[in-house]
């Protein structure tokens, strides 16, 4: 690893030097300085946030810069080749789903505003709470209303992967928001859209992409198959993924995305650049992706706004408010890869950045922002006609989360705090990262400055939907925390949980020691009849409950891509233990009436019951 840290950057496979082109990037970097700029930028992060990266820039239908940095395989010192190293695109894959839907709409086979249940078998969606139709436009803006589902999204082995239709039937999330109201990112919904398309086209979705997009665009080293089964030769070209460690990169797994259309495409940076160029045809010409010019124009037009004057979605493409021009694209993350693809239609300019590290943002999002630019706000706005910034103060939780089961609490580990700095300025804070924002119109705030990759790459502008003086949501989308999920209640619950854990740990040890002593004295086990004996069983049940859930949490933290089948034993074990606890509590109360329990015994029983509750 020392050799890796001190080695010079590997700047390999330059296809076309940017100096051969006149002009500048949307952020104002002259093409004559572009290569040096990218080299200097990458040098600050390669070997730190990611072992390797591939960067490809396109302009006017041509690749103007294509470079590999660092290593695709650290252990074997294999350099990244943007033309030959295969990366996992992650959620950038969703752009191929949206493109397919638009192709089918162009052919008259899908109505973007029709209820998707018209295209599904009767009763396919069994967990819908609302009768409001879900449309393809809802799916493209992630407003179908589904909760997030953390199990069975990715696996680290290609063995026994379910078919797409079986997955969608078996692992349906609950619908928790009325369609069209809250944007809560949903892998399930996008995979559902691909499944609908699959039924219409009459073939597997990955086969359709290969035949109608990859091959025509000469994306020869790309595959949407969940395990690359259709192009096994790509396995030898695929980069190793890594997790950043304290002093070195830790090898990570390849990801096998079960709702595969939502995140399974793998390919080179140059292949993804060919897709980007297909989205940027010369004026007056048609994109090779569509038969009508108007289809591409419609796809890249805004279809959902996060708020008045705030960027949103363009039929699935995420809008980016650049320094001078509007950009569109998508990011992607798998277990050990990160990706970003953005285009600037007005400039026919595109940026593709791929890395082989988990949750990498400094290179992917950071370099993209440097090349496209971000709109900056420096003007103070008269506060006389605007609401007080304090009206939106509060704590917010991501709308994208599980609403059912123990994993619901995961979302509350990353709460967003909004605090008023003055009458017209707020500060957002999440995970130690901050963004200062100024109000430019009622309840619309624009970023002034940001600290941290999350804030630097997101939340350029936010809108608070306020009705009757109450904040309903913050675009992004975040919802106000209320009731038993506010921070005081969460801290109180955590404190009680720790107290209960400590109580049962001490009680179990004390009971075990007492049992051993009694056995040595020849008076039998510590377990007795009556309320004391029943309370002892309650302590055992409480200890078992805590131990079971601690093991579950540790297993999820070690590998958060586990299948539900792996974790089912822990989840199911909670039910009989909880039932046994209820029975034993009733038995304690009954025995109190039958026997004369001492105050100490009653206190022991009451404390145990309280800790269990």
């Amino acid at each position: 690893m020392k050799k890796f840290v001190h080695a010079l950057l590997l700047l390999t496979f330059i296809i076309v030097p940017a100096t051969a082109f006149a002009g500048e990037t949307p952020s104002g970097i002259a093409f004559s300085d572009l290569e040096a700029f990218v080299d200097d930028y990458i040098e600050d992060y390669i070997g730190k946030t990611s072992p390797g990266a591939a960067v490809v820039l396109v302009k006017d239908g041509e690749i103007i810069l294509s470079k590999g940095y660092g290593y695709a395989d650290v252990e074997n010192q294999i350099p990244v080749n943007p033309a030959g190293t295969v990366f996992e695109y992650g959620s950038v894959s969703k752009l191929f789903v949206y493109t397919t839907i638009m192709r089918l709409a162009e052919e008259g086979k899908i109505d973007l505003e029709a209820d998707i249940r018209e295209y599904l078998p009767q009763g396919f969606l069994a967990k819908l709470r609302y009768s409001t139709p879900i449309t393809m436009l809802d799916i493209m803006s992630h407003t179908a209303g589904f909760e997030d589902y953390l199990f069975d999204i990715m696996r680290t082995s290609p063995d026994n992967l379910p078919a797409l239709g079986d997955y969608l039937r078996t692992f349906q999330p609950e619908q928790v928001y009325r369609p069209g109201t809250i944007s809560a990112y949903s892998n399930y919904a996008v995979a559902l859209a691909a499944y609908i398309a699959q039924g219409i086209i009459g073939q597997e979705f990955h086969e359709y992409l290969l035949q109608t997009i990859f091959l025509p665009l000469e994306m020869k080293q790309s595959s949407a198959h969940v395990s690359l089964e259709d192009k096994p030769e790509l396995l030898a070209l695929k980069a190793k993924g890594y997790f950043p460690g304290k002093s070195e990169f830790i090898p990570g797994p390849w990801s096998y995305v079960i709702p595969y259309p939502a995140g399974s495409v793998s390919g080179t940076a140059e292949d993804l650049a060919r897709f980007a160029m297909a989205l940027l045809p010369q004026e007056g010409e048609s994109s090779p992706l569509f038969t009508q010019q108007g289809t591409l124009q419609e796809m890249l037009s805004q279809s959902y706004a996060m708020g008045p004057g705030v960027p949103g979605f363009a039929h699935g493409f995420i809008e980016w408010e650049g320094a001078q021009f509007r950009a569109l694209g998508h990011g992607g993350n798998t277990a050990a890869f990160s990706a970003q693809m953005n285009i600037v239609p007005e400039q026919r300019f595109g940026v593709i950045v791929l890395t082989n590290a988990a949750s990498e943002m400094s290179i992917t999002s950071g370099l993209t922002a440097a090349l496209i630019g971000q709109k900056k706000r420096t003007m103070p706005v008269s506060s006389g006609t605007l609401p007080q910034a304090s009206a939106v103060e509060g704590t917010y939780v991501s709308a994208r989360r599980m609403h059912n089961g123990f994993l619901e609490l995961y979302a509350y580990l990353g709460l967003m705090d909004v605090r008023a700095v003055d009458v017209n300025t707020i500060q957002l804070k999440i995970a130690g990262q901050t963004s200062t924002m100024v109000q430019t119109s009622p309840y619309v705030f624009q970023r002034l400055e940001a600290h941290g990759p999350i804030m630097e790459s997101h939340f350029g502008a936010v809108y608070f939907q306020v009705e009757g003086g109450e904040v309903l949501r913050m675009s992004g989308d975040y919802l106000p925390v209320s009731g038993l999920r506010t921070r005081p209640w969460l801290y109180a619950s955590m404190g009680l949980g720790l107290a209960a854990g400590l109580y049962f740990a001490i009680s179990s040890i004390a009971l075990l020691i007492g049992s051993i002593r009694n056995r040595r004295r020849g008076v039998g086990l510590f377990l007795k009849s009556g309320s004391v004996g029943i309370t002892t069983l309650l302590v055992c049940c409480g200890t078992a409950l805590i131990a079971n859930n601690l093991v579950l949490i540790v297993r999820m933290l070690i590998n958060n891509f586990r299948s539900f089948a792996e974790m089912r034993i822990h989840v199911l074990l909670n039910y009989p233990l909880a039932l046994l606890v209820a029975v034993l509590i009733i038995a304690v109360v009954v025995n109190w009436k039958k026997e004369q329990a001492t105050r100490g015994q009653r206190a022991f029983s009451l404390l145990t019951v309280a800790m269990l509750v």
Side-chain angles (χ1 to χ4, degrees), residues 483-498:
L484 298 181
R485 291 293 181 262
T486 57
R487 269 212 171 87
W489 280 103
L490 290 171
Y491 288 147
S493 297
M494 183 173 66
L496 288 171
L498 291 174

Side-chain angles (χ1 to χ4, degrees), residues 322-375:
Q324 302 180 62
F325 306 99
R326 171 176 174 265
L328 301 159
H330 213 292
N333 289 280
T334 57
F337 288 82
S338 304
Q340 188 76 35
M341 187 197 99
N342 282 79
I343 59 172
V344 183
E346 287 182 78
Q347 295 290 292
R348 298 187 67 208
F349 181 82
V351 180
I352 291 87
V353 186
L354 307 178
T355 69
N356 55 335
S359 302
E360 206 288 325
M361 293 182 68
S362 296
I363 297 176
T364 53
S365 299
L367 180 58
T368 300
L371 296 171
I372 293 176
Q374 294 177 313
K375 186 171 288 186

Side-chain angles (χ1 to χ4, degrees), residues 409-433:
L409 291 176
Y410 269 45
Y412 292 89
L413 299 177
L415 294 174
M416 172 83 75
D417 285 312
V418 178
R419 294 292 177 263
V421 177
D422 57 37
V423 294
N424 206 37
T425 309
I426 61 172
Q427 183 185 72
L428 309 185
K429 184 177 182 180
I430 186 171
Q433 302 181 39

Side-chain angles (χ1 to χ4, degrees), residues 370-563:
L371 296 171
I372 293 176
Q374 294 177 313
K375 186 171 288 186
K376 295 181 179 179
R377 316 285 178 171
T378 57
M379 67 298 196
V381 180
S382 173
S383 60
T385 59
L386 297 174
Q388 294 283 317
S390 58
V392 300
E393 281 190 319
T395 302
Y396 296 77
V397 64
S398 175
R400 180 192 179 183
R401 68 184 192 273
M402 285 190 70
H403 286 243
N404 300 282
F406 78 98
L407 285 178
E408 177 209 359
L409 291 176
Y410 269 45
Y412 292 89
L413 299 177
L415 294 174
M416 172 83 75
D417 285 312
V418 178
R419 294 292 177 263
V421 177
D422 57 37
V423 294
N424 206 37
T425 309
I426 61 172
Q427 183 185 72
L428 309 185
K429 184 177 182 180
I430 186 171
Q433 302 181 39
T434 61
S435 179
T436 303
M437 313 191 80
V438 63
Q439 189 172 198
T440 56
S441 60
Y443 301 115
V444 174
F445 293 79
Q446 304 283 352
R447 178 171 55 211
L448 289 176
E449 61 176 3
H451 301 282
I454 296 176
M455 290 302 187
E456 290 168 359
S457 302
H458 305 287
F459 305 105
V462 297
Y463 164 68
F464 293 86
Q465 182 181 351
V466 181
E467 294 182 8
E470 180 183 359
V471 179
L472 301 184
R473 69 179 181 94
M474 182 188 90
S475 66
D477 252 354
Y478 278 73
L479 305 176
V481 173
S482 61
L484 298 181
R485 291 293 181 262
T486 57
R487 269 212 171 87
W489 280 103
L490 290 171
Y491 288 147
S493 297
M494 183 173 66
L496 288 171
L498 291 174
L502 185 63
Y503 172 81
F504 284 110
I506 294 174
S507 298
S508 296
I509 293 172
L511 288 172
L512 180 62
I513 292 173
S515 178
I516 293 172
R517 285 180 176 176
N518 285 341
R519 190 180 185 98
R520 286 178 178 176
R521 293 171 183 170
V523 296
L525 296 177
F526 186 78
L527 185 63
K528 300 178 180 180
S529 60
S531 60
V532 173
I534 297 171
T535 303
T536 301
L537 288 176
L538 279 173
V539 170
C540 293
C541 287
T543 305
L545 275 167
I546 289 174
N548 178 55
N549 286 283
L550 280 176
V551 171
L552 185 154
I553 291 169
V554 170
R555 292 187 69 191
M556 286 294 296
L557 290 175
I558 293 173
N559 178 9
N560 60 348
F561 297 118
R562 295 184 186 275
S563 68

Side-chain angles (χ1 to χ4, degrees), residues 21 45 76 104 107 148 172-173 213 265 287 416 437 496 498 569:
F21 294 83
Y45 299 102
N76 295 303
L104 294 176
E107 296 168 8
D148 205 13
Q172 288 185 34
I213 295 182
V265 178
S287 165
M416 172 83 75
M437 313 191 80
L496 288 171
L498 291 174
I569 181 62

Side-chain angles (χ1 to χ4, degrees), residues 159-421:
D159 299 332
N160 302 317
L161 298 175
L164 179 60
D166 293 338
Y167 168 84
L168 293 171
R169 286 185 177 89
T170 305
F171 298 102
Q172 288 185 34
E174 298 280 349
Q175 188 183 46
V176 293
Y177 308 116
R178 186 178 298 280
T181 59
I182 298 294
S183 183
Y185 193 87
S186 175
N187 288 297
Y188 179 88
V190 177
L192 186 64
Y195 179 72
I196 289 171
Q198 183 173 280
I200 291 172
I201 60 185
Q203 65 180 141
E204 295 290 325
F205 191 74
H206 66 86
E207 294 175 352
Y208 175 84
L209 292 186
L210 178 64
Q211 294 173 12
T212 65
I213 295 182
F214 297 162
L215 293 180
L217 296 183
E218 296 190 353
M219 298 171 64
K220 298 178 181 179
Q221 298 184 101
S222 296
S223 169
H225 193 285
V226 65
S227 61
L228 302 182
E229 188 178 290
D230 59 341
K231 300 190 79 172
E233 66 273 15
L234 298 184
L235 293 170
L237 303 175
K238 193 171 180 183
K240 286 187 176 179
Y242 295 88
F243 300 120
K246 291 184 178 179
S247 60
E248 61 181 13
F249 289 99
I250 303 166
W254 284 348
S255 297
Y256 301 92
V257 181
I258 306 179
Y260 76 87
S264 72
V265 178
S266 294
T268 65
E270 287 198 6
D271 270 8
L272 192 52
R274 293 183 179 91
F275 176 64
M277 287 188 288
L279 297 169
L280 300 168
Q282 189 172 346
E283 187 175 357
E285 294 185 358
S286 295
S287 165
L289 295 167
F290 305 106
T291 59
Q292 301 172 22
Q293 291 185 27
T295 306
L296 177 62
Q297 295 172 1
E298 180 184 1
M299 183 169 76
L300 301 184
S301 66
Q302 188 181 73
S303 57
Y304 179 85
M306 286 291 189
V310 177
F313 292 95
H315 299 86
F317 287 69
I318 299 172
E319 293 183 311
W320 181 304
E321 203 171 22
Q324 302 180 62
F325 306 99
R326 171 176 174 265
L328 301 159
H330 213 292
N333 289 280
T334 57
F337 288 82
S338 304
Q340 188 76 35
M341 187 197 99
N342 282 79
I343 59 172
V344 183
E346 287 182 78
Q347 295 290 292
R348 298 187 67 208
F349 181 82
V351 180
I352 291 87
V353 186
L354 307 178
T355 69
N356 55 335
S359 302
E360 206 288 325
M361 293 182 68
S362 296
I363 297 176
T364 53
S365 299
L367 180 58
T368 300
L371 296 171
I372 293 176
Q374 294 177 313
K375 186 171 288 186
K376 295 181 179 179
R377 316 285 178 171
T378 57
M379 67 298 196
V381 180
S382 173
S383 60
T385 59
L386 297 174
Q388 294 283 317
S390 58
V392 300
E393 281 190 319
T395 302
Y396 296 77
V397 64
S398 175
R400 180 192 179 183
R401 68 184 192 273
M402 285 190 70
H403 286 243
N404 300 282
F406 78 98
L407 285 178
E408 177 209 359
L409 291 176
Y410 269 45
Y412 292 89
L413 299 177
L415 294 174
M416 172 83 75
D417 285 312
V418 178
R419 294 292 177 263
V421 177

